[in-house]
Structures are given as C-alpha cells and as structure tokens.
Amino acid sequence: MRKILILYCSKNKQTFKISKFIQKKLSPRFSIKVNSISEVDRIDLFSFDKIVIGASIYYGKHSNDIIEFVKKYRCVLEQVKTAFFSVNAVARKINKNLPYSNPYFRKFLIKTAWYPDLMAVFGGKIDYPNYKMFNKIIIYLIMVLTDGPKDIKTSHEFTKWEKVTQFSNKIVAL
C-alpha cells in the first residue's frame, strides 16, 4: 500500500484539523501518518511515497520550524511527490486565496526556494473566544486594519472544505 506522510505546523489547531480532514479523505486508499513537524526527527521520510506539509501563519509569518524543516530536508522533498498548504486568515479574501496571490505563500516560496508539486492556500480561523486577552486584542486590531471579523464573542472559520476536498483529490493524482 502506498504511504503518505502529512506533517503539520499549527498554533491554533486549524492546520491540524485540515490535516486530519485530508487524512480522512485519502483513507483507506493509502496508509497515512499525520504528525506534527516537531516529531519529524523520529520519522523515516524516505519510507513515504508522498509528503504533504501544512503550515499556518501566526502574526504574519510561517513558523521557523517549517522553514528550517524544508531547508534541512529539501533533498528528500525533491525525491518524492510533495504537496504544501498554507492556512491563514488573509486567504478569506478572493484575491489572496491562491498560492501566487497570497503574500505569505509567496514569501514562503522565496524563503525556502522549494516548489512542491502541489500547492494550496486555505482560509484559517479567527477563534476569539479561545485567545488569551493580549492575542485577542492584537488579532482584533489586525482585523480592523484588514476589514476582517470583529465580533470577539464568536469564532470565525474561513476554511472552504470543498477546496480542501479538491486538494485531497489532487494529492491522489500526484
């Protein structure tokens, strides 16, 4: 059975949720392992046919962990079929929901010089009720500046699950 590794880097669990959704969509056609990027040193990357990586944006940046992972393991990533998805609230906007139109995704590609076989950007989630006060205020101010949701009593999910399903189908075709 073909094996797929899904690695995620997530601060507020939306990227993990998307990773598990992809796993469900690809099962049982593949043997799938879902792991945090922090566990990568315990994984034999060469034992997988495909590697899918998901990373969220936190305060305008992808985590250094994901950047360093790609730089360190780029030789492995270039020997297997790969997919990368970025999760961010900016992707809620139609003109920023594709890899080459999303500023965070473009910065990621430039910073890593890695071009996966398949790329996607998904809207994330603004989860005001679960943020600590400082984060809630900062996110609120960012939403004021970017014309985003400002109701701090509500969670606002921007993930288009049909788009994630389409991405999952494209992983199968890699």
Side-chain angles (χ1 to χ4, degrees):
M1 179 175 277
R2 297 190 59 128
K3 294 172 64 179
I4 297 176
L5 173 63
I6 301 174
L7 292 172
Y8 66 90
C9 186
S10 185
K11 284 277 188 199
N12 295 310
K13 298 186 180 126
Q14 191 68 8
T15 306
F16 172 71
K17 183 177 175 182
I18 293 169
S19 297
K20 294 300 279 184
F21 182 89
I22 293 170
Q23 178 187 33
K24 185 176 177 184
K25 288 292 177 185
L26 297 177
S27 296
R29 294 177 281 183
F30 297 91
S31 170
I32 302 165
K33 184 176 182 93
V34 177
N35 282 90
S36 167
I37 197 79
S38 65
E39 302 168 324
V40 75
D41 290 335
R42 295 180 283 208
I43 300 169
D44 176 12
L45 297 176
F46 284 109
S47 69
F48 294 91
D49 303 295
K50 301 176 188 188
I51 298 175
V52 179
I53 301 169
S56 61
I57 295 298
Y58 192 69
Y59 287 126
K61 300 187 316 186
H62 284 99
S63 166
N64 283 336
D65 291 346
I66 199 70
I67 303 293
E68 292 308 313
F69 166 81
V70 170
K71 288 179 177 179
K72 182 176 180 180
Y73 293 103
R74 189 165 162 201
C75 64
V76 177
L77 297 174
E78 291 174 346
Q79 294 181 44
V80 297
K81 294 295 183 181
T82 57
F84 178 75
F85 66 93
S86 179
V87 180
N88 57 77
V90 170
R92 73 185 184 280
K93 297 180 177 186
I94 291 174
N95 62 341
K96 306 234 189 239
N97 66 355
L98 298 171
Y100 292 106
S101 67
N102 185 278
Y104 303 121
F105 203 104
R106 286 194 326 260
K107 286 179 192 174
F108 174 83
L109 294 175
I110 290 166
K111 203 173 236 187
T112 62
W114 172 59
Y115 293 86
D117 299 300
L118 179 62
M119 300 179 273
V121 178
F122 303 126
K125 181 178 182 179
I126 303 295
D127 196 10
Y128 287 117
N130 289 309
Y131 294 153
K132 293 181 180 177
M133 187 54 70
F134 178 78
N135 287 344
K136 190 178 295 194
I137 291 167
I138 296 298
I139 298 295
Y140 177 83
L141 292 173
I142 291 168
M143 291 301 109
V144 166
L145 293 172
T146 63
D147 195 31
K150 296 166 211 61
D151 179 359
I152 63 170
K153 294 183 176 127
T154 308
S155 291
H156 307 272
E157 185 171 324
F158 306 108
T159 305
K160 304 281 187 222
W161 295 103
E162 181 55 38
K163 189 175 176 182
V164 180
T165 297
Q166 292 168 0
F167 180 73
S168 301
N169 292 338
K170 290 177 182 177
I171 292 170
V172 171
L174 279 178

